Amino acid sequence: MGLVTNSRVKSPWILHFDCGSCNGCDIEILACLTPMYDIERFGMVNMGNPKHADVLVVTGSANRRNARVLKNLYEQMPEPKVVIAIGSCACTGGVFNECPNILGGVDKVIPVDVYIPGCAVKPEAIIDGAVLALGKLAEKKAKAKEGVRA
Amino acid sequence: MTNQILIAIASILAVPIIGGLLRGFDRKMTARMQSRIGPPILQPFYDVIKLWNKEKNITHKNQLIWAYGYFGFIITSILVFALGRDILMMLFVLVLAGVCLVLGALSIKSPYSHLGGNRELIQMLAYEPMLFLIALAVFLSTGSFNVNVIIASGTPLIYSLPLAFIAMVIVMVIKMRKSPFDISLSHHAHQEIVRGPVTEFSGKYLALIELAEWYEMVLLLAILAMFWAMPFWAGIILALAVYFIVLIIDNVFARLTWPILLKFTWTFGIGLVILNILGIYLLRK
Ligand code: SF4
């Protein structure tokens, strides 16, 4: 792993967007920041600004209202970036699926790299998923390079 | 002459390494004080390398001039200090750097960015008078603005300027963006007014601003070390002790509002330095 990829994997800054979840998953994400789990030891920092973030963490299902905001946030994040869908709602729409205003999972609006199911997800599962996402982040870099060469 | 060029190159190369390590130490210590494990010491370097290699996303071309300006002026002031030139000149260049950051924030039509820029201006309004009065106090006690002369003056400055030193620590807290006075841009609350003046900076330009902050931090520590310049190591220990105290202050205090910041610096902070200056006059007579 090169220096740049290594740095990328070691410094994922997170942007959390709540697409209208029941707040169960949001609380679990915040739990990851507490001294108990302390994800800052992996260099993860919770950002409030899409322009500074590398990882978009989405909770809750996509609906007709928030799809535009979600897309906007995703587009504002500079490459390379990964998206993690947290909770059954974000993965598939969950209990809200088939409601008239619900489009379904987050992947109906933006490309999702990692799905973490659960209602609500455990902090351990979130950390697990985040590690998976970091692998994808490293891969993305490699692919981008190939694309340039080809 | 070659000697001076060597000093200049060495300071430009070594300072970010020292600054990055100090910042890493800061994050680790802060985590320990909050009973967390905390990121590795090298974390700031990972952050900067990552940011440097991210996609370039520019809101407005003007913004780049100001990011480079901020970086350039801080390097210039580091050089002025390292080469032992005029301390007043150094402060003026440092003000220019601050102005560049503010203009960078104001050059974009974004409400968060503007709010951050305005708050940064308020911070400058709070610490600049103190800085210049401290420089004046240093002049009154040593008879020179020249860093070389000040360092060579023998007795440690802190004997004649204890109050000005405390004021310098206050400046340090504000400039290092630590609680209770991190009103424009905070290192811990990353969601706070979505990061103030750097809202619209991303990728490489954010890394540039981060690097400039490291340079600035080391410069301020060097000014603190100047208060006990002889012997050399005493100054370094003094500066590191102050750095540690600033970290403790950061973790103990909540964030205060800008009116409190202005009231505090314009009464207590400036008062301290003026008292010190009066003391120098009275003791001399
Ligand atoms: S997955 Fe469950 S806990 Fe999470 S937002 Fe949906 S309903 Fe709430």
Side-chain angles (χ1 to χ4, degrees), chain A residues 20-26 59-61 86-90 94-96 118-121:
Chain A
S21 84
C22 76
N23 228 327
C25 290
D26 303 316
T59 55
S61 42
I86 289 199
S88 310
C89 290
V95 285
F96 303 111
C119 179
V121 271

Side-chain angles (χ1 to χ4, degrees), chain B residues 62-74:
Chain B
N62 274 353
Q63 153 182 52
L64 308 188
I65 302 173
W66 303 121
Y68 280 112
Y70 180 54
F71 187 73
F73 280 124
I74 284 192

Side-chain angles (χ1 to χ4, degrees), chain B residues 66-276:
Chain B
W66 303 121
Y68 280 112
Y70 180 54
F71 187 73
F73 280 124
I74 284 192
I75 297 246
T76 316
S77 59
I78 278 262
L79 287 182
V80 173
F81 188 87
L83 296 177
R85 297 296 158 83
D86 201 315
I87 197 168
L88 215 49
M89 188 65 204
M90 182 203 79
L91 289 182
F92 282 128
V93 179
L94 210 56
V95 175
L96 275 178
V99 168
C100 275
L101 185 63
V102 172
L103 286 175
L106 296 183
S107 67
I108 305 144
K109 279 187 193 145
S110 149
Y112 288 118
S113 185
H114 274 233
L115 192 58
N118 290 336
R119 284 183 174 213
E120 185 69 28
L121 273 179
I122 291 169
Q123 280 197 352
M124 288 173 74
L125 193 65
Y127 66 73
E128 290 301 344
M130 275 158 79
L131 264 181
F132 281 96
L133 281 173
I134 290 169
L136 184 66
V138 169
F139 174 76
L140 289 174
S141 95
T142 60
S144 172
F145 280 122
N146 198 304
V147 176
N148 275 342
V149 179
I150 293 168
I151 288 175
S153 67
T155 46
L157 270 180
I158 196 165
Y159 289 158
S160 58
L161 301 172
L163 298 180
F165 183 76
I166 295 174
M168 190 62 213
V169 176
I170 299 173
V171 173
M172 188 81 192
V173 173
I174 306 174
K175 272 241 166 208
M176 272 176 62
R177 310 184 183 291
K178 294 294 185 195
S179 293
F181 298 133
D182 46 353
I183 60 164
S184 80
L185 196 168
S186 170
H187 284 309
H188 302 302
H190 299 276
Q191 299 92 338
E192 190 82 352
I193 58 165
V194 202
R195 283 285 259 177
V198 296
T199 305
E200 296 294 327
F201 290 95
S202 65
K204 189 174 163 188
Y205 305 101
L206 188 63
L208 210 61
I209 289 176
E210 181 76 19
L211 271 178
E213 277 187 3
W214 297 358
Y215 276 104
E216 192 180 23
M217 184 174 75
V218 175
L219 177 64
L220 288 169
L221 286 173
I223 297 175
L224 281 171
M226 198 182 70
F227 277 81
W228 205 320
M230 288 290 172
F232 196 56
W233 49 266
I236 293 175
I237 291 175
L238 186 69
L240 290 181
V242 169
Y243 187 74
F244 190 69
I245 290 169
V246 169
L247 289 192
I248 293 177
I249 293 175
D250 183 32
N251 278 291
V252 169
F253 278 92
R255 187 173 310 109
L256 298 179
T257 56
W258 66 265
I260 300 179
L261 166 72
L262 277 189
K263 276 179 208 151
F264 179 77
T265 48
W266 277 78
T267 53
F268 184 72
I270 293 184
L272 275 180
V273 195
I274 290 183
L275 254 177
N276 208 151

Side-chain angles (χ1 to χ4, degrees), chain A residues 103-122:
Chain A
L103 297 173
V106 173
D107 53 3
K108 290 272 176 356
V109 184
I110 53 173
V112 174
D113 296 280
V114 177
Y115 297 86
I116 311 179
C119 179
V121 271
K122 283 195 208 162

